[in-house]
Amino acid sequence: MQPTALIAEDEPLLAAALQQELARAWPGLAIAATVGDGLSAVREALRLMPDVLFFDIRMPGQSGLDAAVELADAWDTGARPFPALVFVTAYDQYAVQAFEAQAVDYLLKPVQPGRLDRTVHKLRQALQQRASPALEQTLAQLRELVQAPGLGGAAPSPAAARLDVIQAGSGAQIHFVPVAEVLYFEAADKYVRVLTAEREYLVRTPLKELAAQLDPAAFWQVHRGTLVRAGAIASAVRDEAGRLHLQLRGRPERLAVSRLYAHRFKGM
């Protein structure tokens, strides 16, 4: 069967150049689709189920890393193995260090023929031997990349002071919410929902920025947009599809756990 690939690149000229170079380096590879943003990349990858993904790191709406994380969470492992993943990026010290540390293949813009040839050789060997990384290995790599400074995590900066109180505005009133009372944080459009046992507040501070000021031992990331107080978790339940959901003490709703963070609960 002819191998297929999906290219996610928001600059049409660079996407065309990569496609042209791939035609030279790997004539047998069929480009199933070329898309220009992360959301389309996830949608088309789930529809087409290609063998290889070339994801640009910086794309409008959703980064290539976020798209890879979302795709890994939604992928039907029973239908087809997770694709081999190659990130494409402009030179960035932190990105390159993160990719090399996690043995994730990457290409620098503009793509150089010699470097692409080496990547194609690795990809062809992996597909020929059916040795493309298992989803669990890919998830482990993505977990580290999400935390890498300047890539998924915040850029290096002086240690932020721990938050003790959240200031949440409501009209002309400002609520001072003790962090000790917060059960979970959830990203919602331009806001972050702050949930206590009694009520909900909204703040404009990005979740990533809040996370950097919280104790990681006290608040666990369980989804791309959810931080949960570990001490508030009453139970973790797996549904019929194998997905994990958390029940918190003091809240009626159940919270989904993405595949990326399900490893936290395997030993419990």
Side-chain angles (χ1 to χ4, degrees), residues 68-84:
V69 168
E70 182 176 337
L71 183 61
D73 195 44
W75 193 263
D76 182 358
T77 53
R80 195 156 187 174
F82 192 75

Side-chain angles (χ1 to χ4, degrees), residues 16-210:
L18 176 57
Q19 188 165 351
Q20 184 177 355
E21 283 298 324
L22 281 169
R24 175 198 61 80
W26 195 352
L29 180 69
I31 306 302
T34 301
V35 299
D37 62 90
L39 295 175
S40 298
V42 174
R43 183 184 67 245
E44 290 303 290
L46 289 173
R47 182 177 71 87
L48 298 169
M49 290 197 160
D51 300 296
V52 183
L53 304 171
F54 293 92
F55 275 11
D56 183 18
I57 280 292
R58 308 293 179 193
M59 290 189 288
Q62 188 179 49
S63 73
L65 180 56
D66 286 341
V69 168
E70 182 176 337
L71 183 61
D73 195 44
W75 193 263
D76 182 358
T77 53
R80 195 156 187 174
F82 192 75
L85 182 61
V86 179
F87 286 112
V88 185
T89 181
Y91 179 76
D92 180 281
Q93 172 188 356
Y94 301 114
V96 170
Q97 287 177 349
F99 293 143
E100 290 180 344
Q102 297 307 314
V104 174
D105 207 0
Y106 66 94
L107 296 168
L108 294 178
K109 299 180 185 180
V111 174
Q112 300 299 312
R115 180 68 177 83
L116 179 61
D117 288 344
R118 291 195 296 274
T119 292
V120 165
H121 179 71
K122 287 169 61 177
L123 292 171
R124 294 182 71 165
Q125 275 195 324
L127 295 183
Q128 185 177 8
Q129 300 168 5
R130 301 293 179 186
S132 56
L135 181 58
E136 284 302 319
Q137 180 183 340
T138 301
L139 289 171
Q141 292 170 325
L142 292 175
R143 270 195 297 273
E144 296 299 324
L145 293 176
V146 165
Q147 301 299 323
L151 185 57
S157 62
R162 293 283 185 231
L163 273 179
D164 294 319
V165 174
I166 303 289
Q167 297 185 33
S170 178
Q173 188 175 18
I174 297 178
H175 299 276
F176 290 81
V177 186
V179 170
E181 295 181 6
V182 177
L183 300 183
Y184 72 96
F185 298 89
E186 183 177 59
D189 296 325
K190 297 179 180 179
Y191 296 90
V192 169
R193 300 172 65 213
V194 181
L195 286 298
T196 68
E198 289 78 27
R199 61 172 298 180
E200 171 184 334
Y201 305 89
L202 294 176
V203 297
R204 286 185 176 271
T205 307
L207 187 66
K208 191 179 294 185
E209 190 175 321
L210 279 173

